[in-house]
Amino acid sequence: MSGRGNGSGTGGRRVLVTRPEGRELCARLQALGWDPRWVPTVALVEVEAGGPLDVALRRLDTYDWVVVTSAGGVRAVFQRLHSLGLPVPAAPRWAAVGPATAAALQAQGVTAAFVPDRYLTAAVARGLGEVAGRRILLPRADAASAELPRLLRERGAHVDQVVAYRTVEGPEESRRPLRGLLAEGIDVVLFTSGSTVRGFARLVDDPAAALAGVLVACIGPVTARAVRELGLHPHLVAEEHTTEGLIAALQRREARAAAHRPT
């Protein structure tokens, strides 16, 4: 590792945040003594009006469950509901993949009826109870994994998966600031989804060279797999697959490293 800090705690070590909505994460890192730099390697784009998302939202009251798997998905759904002038019907129960997504729902006035203990999409499929014959809406990103709908259908659910927003991996406007930051040097890169990993790879000529000596930290196993698919090694994978879990894992690793540095 490049060891840009002064060896005291986080020592102002520089952390690259790659998620598209990273301001809150940067604020938390800064409060803990890190030097966060935000360059999103993915951009979120609204879907077109009148498409499958609108069709699903117009019959929202026919679903038993609505499962949202990201805060971005929540925002996309409620932006379209507001644009269409539609209320939120009382009929469907809402499930959120993790606390950040549940908080985004709560901000819209909806309380999640289910949030799994382990913040994985597969845990959602197992935790909804009896779903045979139930109608479930999955408003998700266009790049979302097929695992969750597959697991729900295997349990007999009728699943409508619609694209709620599109992801642009490697937005061009991030290319120059990312390369500039890498030239200055970073100590840690945080990847919070597979798309942030692939977006990073699209923006740099040689990901392995760009991350030489940099600690690669991943929010969970799916993200770590995307790192390995680039031929890179994830140094840290959070046990709790949330941004809070990722920060906690990073803090623990930093504390261990500080304890073993020569005085």
Side-chain angles (χ1 to χ4, degrees):
M1 308 303 163
S2 57
R4 292 169 46 84
N6 60 16
S8 175
T10 63
R13 281 154 61 78
R14 186 172 292 171
V15 183
L16 169 59
V17 173
T18 59
R19 68 182 314 171
E21 295 167 323
R23 288 190 176 86
E24 184 180 346
L25 176 55
C26 286
R28 296 208 298 272
L29 288 166
Q30 190 166 30
L32 292 169
W34 297 89
D35 177 15
R37 304 299 175 98
W38 178 43
V39 182
T41 59
V42 170
L44 307 183
V45 180
E46 292 182 24
V47 296
E48 65 281 0
L53 177 62
D54 286 5
V55 173
L57 295 181
R58 289 186 185 281
R59 59 186 187 195
L60 200 53
D61 61 345
T62 68
Y63 290 98
D64 298 289
W65 282 98
V66 181
V67 180
V68 283
T69 55
S70 71
V74 172
R75 281 186 282 276
V77 164
F78 282 85
Q79 282 174 1
R80 290 307 306 155
L81 281 172
H82 295 323
S83 295
L84 294 168
L86 296 173
V88 180
R93 289 180 289 175
W94 294 70
V97 73
T101 308
L105 265 181
Q106 194 67 55
Q108 299 292 343
V110 175
T111 300
F114 174 69
V115 182
D117 293 333
R118 296 194 67 205
Y119 307 127
L120 292 170
T121 51
V124 176
R126 291 192 297 268
L128 293 183
E130 179 57 61
V131 295
R134 302 291 188 183
R135 287 174 49 77
I136 300 176
L137 176 63
L138 300 180
R140 310 175 76 197
D142 54 342
S145 164
E147 182 182 18
L148 179 56
R150 178 182 62 79
L151 292 173
L152 290 169
R153 287 173 179 136
E154 286 178 355
R155 298 187 57 210
H158 301 293
V159 179
D160 287 341
Q161 181 176 220
V162 298
V163 174
Y165 61 96
R166 303 190 189 284
T167 56
V168 177
E169 296 177 351
E172 188 58 34
E173 60 270 23
S174 291
R175 185 180 302 277
R176 179 174 292 183
L178 178 61
R179 291 184 175 186
L181 181 59
L182 292 173
E184 293 174 8
I186 61 172
D187 298 293
V188 182
V189 59
L190 302 185
F191 289 123
T192 53
S193 68
S195 58
T196 62
V197 177
R198 293 186 293 272
F200 179 90
R202 289 177 183 271
L203 292 170
V204 299
D205 294 329
D206 185 343
L211 296 179
V214 174
L215 188 146
V216 178
C218 299
I219 200 167
V222 174
T223 304
R225 186 166 64 228
V227 169
R228 293 190 186 93
E229 288 172 353
L230 286 180
L232 303 178
H233 174 65
H235 301 99
L236 182 157
V237 181
E239 294 180 6
E240 180 183 298
H241 313 311
T242 65
T243 54
E244 290 295 343
L246 181 56
I247 291 174
L250 185 60
Q251 291 285 90
R252 287 194 296 270
R253 183 179 178 108
E254 189 66 15
R256 288 196 301 270
H260 289 87
R261 287 184 191 126
T263 57

